[in-house]
Every structure is written in structure tokens, then in C-alpha cells.
């Protein structure tokens, strides 16, 4: 029957049915841009998974991922309105935004544990954080101004033992009584491949350095104007992370390798295994509230530690740096393996 001949009420109902059965490809998708803070790698896997396997499209989003790199500043593009979301490294960036009146807000925290580690030689027989004190420590400029200040205030470390880390492992390899900073997902792999030994690993997060890492940031105006879009991006991203960790992540890895030809299957597998082994993504509050979870108590705890360490000022309102509105809702928990 011609819909034009139906009564108005029936015509409206008929149109609604047609929209309900319309294919997803015919629906209008919201264009969204998301900038990472480094070149494509396994540590970004969940976002690429949500893009590659169609999860973002299922949530009505046409997402473009803009990889970062040594000469890129995607956070500035977020602030300027050129990107909709940005992947910030850790909570210190969120606190710094408040201190400098930068109108960005953290809406989810993908990593429950920061992957920052110290690598040691097997000969030094290091088994815990305090054992590092007598060693020469290779620490970057950024590390000195952040986590090392916490090591000083919480554990009594001294900068006298610190030497500059220039992202070259040779000084560490030459000195068996030294330790080198790195990420648990990458530097140990490089040492194993080049030096042919398995380094000891001390993960700072396991000793109280409880910053969140790999945060999703957006602008305050986007939260105010399009909260539904923010919610859909967060939810779809978290589902992407469950599928990357526990499902068929081949689509994401193929996309990562295309964007970053230096990435190998071996390193991708290593990074994923270390994220699982150390509970980088799916641990702590995420076990109950879902990947991306944050809590007020955790934010307050880390803020207090950074104040004591002299890294942030006591007078900033750190509560403005994040919102719990879009996360900790258990999205994707059903995708975690039961065993």
C-alpha cells in the first residue's frame, strides 16, 4: 500500500518501522576524531579494535584515529577544537590542565596501572623497589620531574644516583649495577632481543605510584553540548579494549602495523601479554566497574602523593580535572572470559 494514502498516525508508524529496519550503513554517523600521544602500538589496541571491528559504527560513530609521534602535539589540537578526544599519558597531565586553566576533562582511564618500570640486570638480584637505591638509575628529564620526586618523598631515593636517560639502553647494558626506566610493555622486549637476557622488572604502580594512565580527555564544551556523543565514544572504546584483550584482535593489529610498519607481530603479542600479566588494563576497580573505571578516592590519593612530592600545588582543585559521569558503569564486563 502507498504510505501516502494511510492516515497520518499510521504513516508515522510506518516511517518508524522503516527506520528501525534500515541498515546501519544508511544511518547518519557522528564524525569523531581521536588523537593518540604516540605512534600506533599495542598500548592503543582497544581503540584500533573498536575502529577495525565496527564497534564505533555500531555506536553511531565515524571515528578517525590520529596517531601522535615525537613531532606531533595532538593535545594542542584537542584544545584548539581540531580533535574531539585525546589520549593523555597519565593523571599528572590532568592536574596540570587545571593548574593552567586548560578546559579539558578526563572522562575515562583505560590503564588502571601506569606501565612505568625500572629494568635491572639479573646479577643485581633486585626483588623489590627499595633494592634499587644503591644502583645507578637512568631516568629521563620527564621522569625526574614526576615519578622520581615521588620516589624521593615516599621511599627516600636520592638524585645523586641518577644519570640522564636518553632512550639509549647502552649505558644500562654496560653497568650491571644500574637500573633503567622503561615501560613494561616495550623496553624489556628490546633488552631481551638485543642483549639476550631477561631483565628484572620493578613496576612502580605495584609500590603505590597509583596514577591512572592512557586517559581519554575531551573539552568541557563537548561534554556540555554533546554528552551522548561522549558517552558513546567511551562505551565503544571500552568494548574495543575488552575485545582487544580477550577476543580476536587481528583487525586492530593489522591496522596498527599499517600505520606503524616498524611494529612486529612479536612485539604486539609481547605487549599484550604484559598488559595482561601485570593487570595494566583490567585490574583494580575495573574488575568490578569495567575497563575505564575511575574513583574519587583514587584521584584524591594520587593528588595527595604528588602534593607531598612537590610535583603539584595543594591549592589546585584537582576535582575539576575529571568526571565520573561517563565511566564505571560496567560496560563490556560480559566480554571478559569467565575463567
Amino acid at each position: 500500500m502507498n504510505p501516502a494514502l494511510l492516515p497520518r498516525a499510521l504513516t508515522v508508524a510506518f516511517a518508524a518501522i522503516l527506520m528501525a529496519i534500515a541498515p546501519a550503513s544508511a544511518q547518519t554517523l557522528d564524525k569523531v576524531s581521536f588523537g593518540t600521544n604516540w605512534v600506533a602500538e599495542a598500548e592503543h589496541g582497544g581503540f584500533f579494535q573498536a575502529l577495525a571491528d565496527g564497534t564505533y559504527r555500531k555506536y553511531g560513530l565515524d571515528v578517525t584515529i590520529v596517531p601522535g609521534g615525537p613531532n606531533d602535539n595532538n593535545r594542542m589540537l584537542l584544545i584548539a577544537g581540531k580533535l574531539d578526544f585525546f589520549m593523555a599519558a597519565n593523571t599528572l597531565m590532568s592536574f596540570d590542565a587545571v593548574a593552567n586553566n586548560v578546559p579539558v576533562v578526563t572522562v575515562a582511564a583505560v590503564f588502571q596501572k601506569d606501565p612505568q618500570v625500572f629494568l635491572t640486570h639479573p646479577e643485581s638480584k633486585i626483588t623489590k623497589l627499595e633494592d634499587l637505591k644503591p644502583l645507578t638509575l637512568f631516568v629521563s628529564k620527564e621522569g625526574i620531574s614526576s615519578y622520581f620526586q615521588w620516589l624521593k618523598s615516599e621511599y627516600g631515593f636520592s638524585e645523586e644516583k641518577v644519570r640522564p636517560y636518553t632512550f639509549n639502553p647502552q649505558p644500562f647494558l654496560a653497568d650491571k649495577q644500574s637500573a633503567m626506566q622503561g615501560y613494561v610493555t616495550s623496553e624489556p622486549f628490546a633488552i631481551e632481543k638485543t642483549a639476550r637476557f631477561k631483565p628484572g622488572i620493578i613496576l612502580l604502580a605495584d609500590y603505590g605510584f597509583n596514577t591512572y594512565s592512557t586517559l581519554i580527555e575531551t573539552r568541557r564544551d563537548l561534554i556540555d553540548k554533546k554528552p551522548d556523543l561522549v558517552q558513546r565514544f567511551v562505551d565503544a572504546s571500552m568494548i574495543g579494549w575488552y575485545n582487544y584483550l580477550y577476543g580476536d584482535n587481528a583487525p586492530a593489529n593489522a591496522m596498527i602495523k599499517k600505520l606503524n610498519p616498524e611494529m612486529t607481530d612479536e612485539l604486539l603479542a609481547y605487549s599484550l601479554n604484559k598488559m595482561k600479566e601485570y593487570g595494566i588494563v583490567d585490574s583494580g576497580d575495573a574488575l568490578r566497574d569495567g575497563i575505564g573505571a575511575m574513583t574519587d578516592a583514587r584521584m584524591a590519593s594520587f593528588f595527595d602523593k604528588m602534593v607531598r612530592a612537590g610535583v603539584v600545588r595543594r591549592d589546585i582543585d584537582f576535582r575539576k580535572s575529571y568526571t565520573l559521569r561517563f565511566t564505571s558503569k560496567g560496560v563490556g564486563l560480559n566480554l571478559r572470559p569467565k575463567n
Side-chain angles (χ1 to χ4, degrees):
M1 181 181 293
N2 187 339
L5 302 178
L6 294 172
R8 176 175 173 78
L10 289 178
T11 302
V12 172
F14 187 82
I17 293 172
L18 288 178
M19 290 182 64
I21 64 175
S25 59
Q27 297 176 9
T28 301
L29 302 176
D30 293 313
K31 290 187 177 297
V32 170
S33 54
F34 171 62
T36 68
N37 59 7
W38 195 243
V39 295
E41 55 188 357
E43 291 88 333
H44 310 163
F47 301 110
F48 285 107
Q49 181 73 21
L51 178 59
D53 70 10
T55 298
Y56 283 134
R57 290 186 67 86
K58 291 176 184 176
Y59 277 74
L61 302 173
D62 177 8
V63 175
T64 298
I65 297 179
V66 182
N71 300 314
D72 299 307
N73 193 334
N74 280 341
R75 199 186 200 203
M76 287 302 298
L77 295 180
L78 171 70
I79 296 168
K82 304 297 184 182
L83 294 174
D84 300 305
F85 297 94
F86 172 68
M87 190 185 81
N90 56 49
T91 313
L92 281 173
M93 292 186 69
S94 307
F95 295 162
D96 184 67
V98 175
N100 291 285
N101 295 313
V102 178
V104 297
V105 182
T106 294
V107 294
V110 177
F111 286 9
Q112 289 290 305
K113 293 183 179 182
D114 189 274
Q116 189 73 59
V117 297
F118 272 109
L119 309 183
T120 63
H121 288 264
E123 294 86 347
S124 62
K125 294 182 170 54
I126 300 299
T127 60
K128 59 184 184 295
L129 181 66
E130 292 88 339
D131 294 342
L132 295 172
K133 288 184 181 180
L135 304 184
T136 298
L137 302 177
F138 292 102
V139 182
S140 68
K141 181 180 178 181
E142 294 77 12
I144 286 291
S145 63
S146 57
Y147 71 80
F148 197 81
Q149 299 308 307
W150 167 80
L151 285 174
K152 288 168 58 179
S153 65
E154 298 288 322
Y155 288 93
F157 276 66
S158 170
E159 288 187 29
E160 293 179 0
K161 306 296 292 185
V162 172
R163 300 293 181 269
Y165 175 56
T166 60
F167 301 91
N168 177 358
Q170 290 307 315
F172 163 70
L173 295 176
D175 183 356
K176 289 181 169 46
Q177 291 302 307
S178 70
M180 180 186 83
Q181 76 167 48
Y183 270 10
V184 71
T185 49
S186 56
E187 273 77 7
F189 175 83
I191 295 298
E192 289 183 37
K193 296 295 286 186
T194 59
R196 305 297 181 188
F197 72 86
K198 189 173 183 178
I201 295 175
I202 300 293
L203 184 71
L204 299 188
D206 288 341
Y207 292 86
F209 189 66
N210 60 341
T211 179
Y212 291 117
S213 183
T214 307
L215 315 174
I216 299 178
E217 284 187 338
T218 191
R219 295 182 308 280
R220 292 187 184 278
D221 68 283
L222 190 63
I223 291 176
D224 294 338
K225 296 175 182 177
K226 297 181 179 180
D228 175 67
L229 184 144
V230 175
Q231 187 69 70
R232 283 184 285 136
F233 181 76
V234 170
D235 289 351
S237 297
M238 298 312 110
I239 289 173
W241 271 102
Y242 277 109
N243 287 329
Y244 188 74
L245 289 174
Y246 305 119
D248 176 13
N249 55 29
N253 286 339
M255 189 173 288
I256 290 170
K257 288 188 292 182
K258 184 176 181 180
L259 289 168
N260 182 8
E262 296 183 2
M263 189 58 58
T264 65
D265 289 328
E266 189 178 8
L267 178 53
L268 286 166
Y270 180 93
S271 299
L272 176 61
N273 288 335
K274 290 303 176 183
M275 284 191 280
K276 290 181 177 180
E277 178 184 348
Y278 285 88
I280 299 299
V281 179
D282 198 11
S283 65
D285 295 317
L287 297 177
R288 180 191 66 240
D289 299 329
I291 293 175
M294 300 186 294
T295 67
D296 292 322
R298 173 86 172 264
M299 282 289 193
S301 170
F302 184 65
F303 177 73
D304 287 341
K305 290 175 182 179
M306 293 301 99
V307 169
R308 290 197 300 271
V311 177
V312 299
R313 303 195 317 267
R314 170 66 71 182
D315 62 347
I316 73 168
D317 187 357
F318 72 94
R319 295 170 187 82
K320 292 181 178 179
S321 69
Y322 69 98
T323 176
L324 304 182
R325 177 178 177 181
F326 302 102
T327 192
S328 302
K329 299 181 179 182
V331 173
L333 280 174
N334 60 304
L335 298 173
R336 182 191 294 132
K338 302 304 180 193
N339 57 351

